[in-house]
Amino acid sequence: MKLHKIFAASVLLASGLAASAKGTEAEMNAFINDLMGKMTLQEKLGQLNLPASDDIVTGEAKNSNIGEMVSKGEVGGVFNIAGVEKIRDLQRVAVEESRLGIPLLFGMDVIHGYKTVFPIPLALSCSWDMDAIERSARIAAEEASAAGIAWTFSPMVDISRDPRWGRMSEGSGEDPYLGSEIAKAMVKGYQGNLTRNDEILACVKHFALYGASEAGRDYNTVDMSRFRMYNEYFPPYKAAVDAGAASVMTSFNTVDGIPATGNRWLLTDLLRGQWGFDGFVVTDYTAIAEMIEHGMGDLQDVSALALKAGTDMDMVANGFVGTLAKSLEEGKVTMAEIDEAVRRILEAKYRIGLFENPYKYADPSRKNEIYTPEKRAEARRIAAKTFVLLKNEGDILPIQKKGTIAVIGPMGNTRANMPGTWSVAADLNNYKSVYEGIRDAVGDKAKVVYAKGSNLVADPRLEADVTMFGREMRDSRSEEELLAEAMEVAAGADVIIAAMGESSEFSGESSSRSDLRLPDVQKRLMEKLLATGKPVVMLNFSGRPTVMTWESEHVPAILNVWFGGSEAADAIADVVFGDVNPSGRLSATMPRNEGQIPIYYNHFNTGRPLAKDADKFVKFRSNYLDVPVTPLYPFGYGLSYTEFKYGDIALSSDSLKDGETITATVTVTNTGRRKGDEVVQLYIRDLVGSVSRPVKELKGFERITLNPGESRDVTFTITPDMLKFYNFNLEYVNEPGEFDLMIGPNSSDVTTVRFNLK
Ligand code: BGC
């Protein structure tokens, strides 16, 4: 009989916890001690090994490469196997064919949904709606677990201020506070209490600082002060750890000169020591082996370095399973170090109840929980909340369901491009395109016509590179032919919806770009569409903040739709026709040009700031000769089909003492004619300190819904804790003195009052 069965029977009998999937801490320790006592060194190293595989055929797992490794006890977990039957099959090999029957942990990059795909994380963050974000993670966990997955490599909480970096699409933008709130919501959504079979392990990534890669180039060097790490980049990771995230993934980059995967200060002193993390650390894909290229030694050296640093599981590099035995023999690592890592992996398996029921997450009868009408409806509602209305001159939007509506543009009739990067389980061709969504929404009330108008980019090589995951290929017609067709379609239309921007593969991993403007070929199409004199609404698809300076001057209405997931097309129609009033707010600054990058709202003042009213270049000030210092659209920005008016800020007191709180209240009124959501934002500036402090930092926000004419008082409670920061010695403190408190609809348009911390 295999161990898990013996365990289940004995522990359950001894403890009387017949219904519990898990024993107490002491029972867990006893069980793991006993198990580890039986394990050979190779079996131990096997637990630290995480290969990727999808080479198995259901029923044949045993005979696959991975199946052979599993039966020899060389594998602790596997990722990227899609399908509950295959997972069951391979789990059976682990449980029945390997010597000790230790169950496998099955992981996957379920980043923004499984089959029901939610908007890309950057878009989700623009909802500023924590319930919606938690809900998206919950649904992702329900679906992934119904497909056999027990562990997702999400949330990615890397702060980034560089939209050239393609992976901005996978994060929550530039702000540590918003990023931390989202990190917590996602961990909660995925993990719940980690008791039920639809609650899965989260993995916070990429630890750490991956979003600060130099020049926005993926995998590039990171170098920053500890002061900045603690104050600006660490908070979301810490928030996720505090929320109980079960695992952490190392990043590819160096941190203070040492690759994260081999950085003991980062993984042990900080993560476990200072933050009290008690889960396990997995590397990013081949990150151990990549330390060879970083110049840290050969595979044996870097594997030992990773283990000693605090890495527990090796994703794909074969460093642990391949070299640690030799390192042990040569005294380069200790048995205690290996055991510590093994214990952490076994604990994770134990905690989610895999020893009691290895098939807990592989219940084929749960298949009908995936991609249900209810879940899709939720994804549609959430997607509509993420779109950011950047401009709406003459109230072109919402458009009416009448006459002839033309959908034109390379993103107009593509299904596969709707869900966005990291839609690993998506059925790309099942989702509706914009054209189909608009057509279905109008029914027989209007005529909807379509033309592609242009390819995504003029250079066929670039388009081929970014369509590697089977997204639609380019149109073989010439630019002139595509344009001619579009002009003919436009001629018969009353209004034009221009679906433009980036394709899915223009963002995400290994998709950095240096030119963030609309590709020339699309701009030429846009110019022609505008020249028709007809109302033009631009839907901007993007996986990052793009440069929209030209559009902001020429296109009357712009709705940034990011990549909205499986239900994006219907959600777009909901907003375009006004069934839903747009309410997304930017979670990252939109620059005027790439030269402004990095540009972010919570910057320092410098000794030479530009005067507030200066809109032109001023010599010897911190600004540019050729472009204003301000962003095109600031952090927190987004319009609505209605308007909101903010009253004055009422402070309960202008003096705050330790152990007390004060409140700041503002009355917000919907002065327009439609019901709408506003995201009321609170910023604070510490005016004098022992270190320089940012010009403002987000400290709170509230999303409210107001009917036309309705007013609501929004109250924020200010606590001394909210004023804390890491000082020069990295102590988390607040310092008495004056603070500016700002409230407004975005980070630029704020009203300010002052208070004192005594
Ligand atoms: C990515 C991670 C991902 C991993 C596994 C890596 O290339 O950086 O974010 O979780 O692959 O697919």
Side-chain angles (χ1 to χ4, degrees), residues 79 109 153 167 205-206 249 252 284-285 315 422 509:
F79 72 104
D109 288 285
F153 304 139
R167 301 201 79 171
K205 67 189 191 186
H206 305 82
M249 185 186 290
F252 289 124
D284 201 348
Y285 202 99
M315 186 190 280
W422 278 127
E509 188 172 348

Side-chain angles (χ1 to χ4, degrees), residues 421-492:
T421 184
W422 278 127
S423 312
V424 284
D427 293 320
L428 291 180
N429 289 309
N430 279 357
Y431 309 134
K432 278 190 210 172
S433 68
V434 173
Y435 166 61
E436 291 165 324
I438 297 288
R439 196 194 54 196
D440 290 356
V442 300
D444 53 14
K445 293 199 186 108
K447 188 172 165 205
V448 183
V449 289
Y450 161 76
K452 182 161 182 176
S454 80
N455 276 308
L456 276 162
V457 280
D459 182 350
R461 277 173 318 150
L462 180 56
E463 197 156 353
D465 284 347
V466 297
T467 49
M468 64 184 174
F469 295 118
R471 267 71 168 167
E472 289 98 343
M473 299 304 277
R474 60 191 284 116
D475 200 300
S476 56
R477 285 173 289 172
S478 70
E479 184 175 339
E480 293 68 33
E481 284 171 303
L482 287 165
L483 209 52
E485 183 193 56
M487 296 321 290
E488 210 179 300
V489 166

